[in-house]
Each structure stands twice: as C-alpha cells, then as structure tokens.
Amino acid sequence: MDIDLRFEPVTANRWGDFERLFGPRGAFYDCWCVALRLPHGVRMKMGPGERKSHMQGRIAVGPPPGVLAYAGDEPVAWVQVGSRHDVPQFNSPRTVSRPVDERDAHDPSFWAVSCFFLKSHLRGQGLSHRLLAGAIDHARRHGARYLEGCPIDHVEQSKSVTLCTGSTAIFDAAGFETVARRKDGRPLMRLDLRS
C-alpha cells in the first residue's frame, strides 16, 4: 500500500491528534506510552486516566517526546523518539535496552527510538520502515549523534502488538548495528547519525 505519510513532532497543540490516534484504550492496553517513563510499580498503581494525564503533561512541557505520522489530516501512527534520559526505564540496569556505557543515559546526544504504534488496519504492510525513517530524521534534525533501539528479532506475525519496540529487520535495513545482545532475540542497536 502506498500511503503518503507526513511526520510532525507531537506538541501540546497536537494533543488532540495523539489522543484520537491512541483511542479509548490508550494504544496498548491503556499504556498511553508511559511504560518506559515510569517504574513498573508506579505505573501499575495508576489508572488509565492517570496514565493519559501523565503523558498529556509530558507532551505539554516539551520537548516533543516523539512524532506523529499523518496520512492527509489523519494521525495514523506514533513513534516515541527522544533523548535516552527522557525514557528512564529504557536505561534501567535490569533491562536489555540499558546503555552500553551508563554515561550514555545522561548524554543528551544519545537518543532512543523506543515505541511504535500504528493503526491496526495499517499493520503488516511495511510502513514500519517509513516510521523508523521519520524517527531518524527527527533525531538528526534535533542534534542527536546516536540513535539506539532495542527491537525484537522475530514474532509469529507482523501485526503483533509485541512489535511496539520494532523488528530487528527494519533496524537492519536502516543501517543500525548491534552494539549489545543481553538476551536472545533482543539486540541493542545503534545508528551513528554523524555520518
């Protein structure tokens, strides 16, 4: 399917579009994309409305925590991309996505692309490659030197919601290199944006 996508940073004036895209369930099971922002224990004590409010507050204060993809005027996808320090759970010492060097988590030039969300009727059509390209462009334009992701090698189907971290295949195709592998099937991958 050939869809013309336009990417825009999610800012306070785009909250309505973000909310419309995420729908009444907050994308993945009322997550509202706070899973990598808050410790598990804190997040699980919050109701869906609290998670939604947390993300709305985060978007309101800026800088944009990611980009929305539009098909015409319709928001159809979201990519969470920004400085590693903005997604503290991505840096947790217990995770497979933790940085190679602990200092990278505090270095504003190290960014992470940590979550993808695409409207269900568009999944499985290869659009993830374009979403990652939009994230790379956003990171490069905002001064990132390195962009990291921790995708999944294989899933049973390309429409699986477990692909919210992206598939290794799309990161490979975009030129990312594996810099660590702490668990089978979950490489930490990096793209040098300086070249």
Side-chain angles (χ1 to χ4, degrees):
M1 178 181 282
D2 189 26
I3 298 174
D4 187 28
L5 294 181
R6 170 177 55 90
F7 294 92
E8 299 289 347
V10 65
T11 54
N13 64 331
R14 293 189 183 278
W15 169 255
D17 292 344
F18 184 87
E19 184 179 29
R20 187 165 35 137
L21 172 65
F22 273 47
R25 293 301 315 264
F28 300 118
Y29 312 109
D30 296 317
C31 178
W32 287 99
C33 221
V34 299
L36 294 173
R37 299 179 176 283
L38 299 167
H40 179 77
V42 171
R43 191 175 74 251
M44 296 316 291
K45 290 178 184 172
M46 298 170 83
E50 292 172 292
R51 292 181 194 141
K52 179 179 178 179
S53 293
H54 181 85
M55 193 60 175
Q56 185 175 13
R58 169 60 192 84
I59 290 170
V61 299
V67 292
L68 288 169
Y70 290 83
D73 293 328
E74 182 69 19
V76 296
W78 151 257
V79 182
Q80 183 165 259
V81 57
S83 294
R84 254 187 175 273
H85 65 76
D86 191 42
V87 282
Q89 299 310 301
F90 195 76
N91 302 312
S92 170
R94 296 184 304 239
T95 66
V96 294
S97 59
R98 66 187 178 271
V100 173
D101 184 319
E102 191 177 318
R103 293 172 294 188
D104 298 348
H106 308 286
D107 183 336
S109 70
F110 273 81
W111 279 37
V113 55
S114 52
C115 190
F116 295 82
F117 178 69
L118 186 64
K119 281 197 165 188
S120 60
H121 72 279
L122 296 175
R123 293 181 198 146
Q125 299 178 36
L127 292 177
S128 295
H129 292 273
R130 291 168 59 195
L131 298 181
L132 182 56
I136 291 167
D137 183 56
H138 176 76
R140 186 174 276 128
R141 283 188 287 110
H142 289 86
R145 288 186 306 145
Y146 302 102
L147 182 59
E148 296 185 336
C150 193
I152 295 174
D153 278 352
H154 302 288
V155 291
E156 289 182 16
Q157 58 173 321
S158 62
K159 294 183 180 186
S160 172
V161 296
T162 61
L163 274 177
C164 62
T165 59
S167 75
T168 303
I170 68 167
F171 283 80
D172 278 336
F176 283 72
E177 296 182 358
T178 298
V179 292
R181 189 178 290 272
R182 282 92 177 219
K183 179 180 176 183
D184 282 347
R186 292 298 308 276
L188 177 65
M189 301 183 78
R190 178 186 295 169
L191 181 65
D192 188 336
L193 297 174
R194 298 170 300 173
S195 54

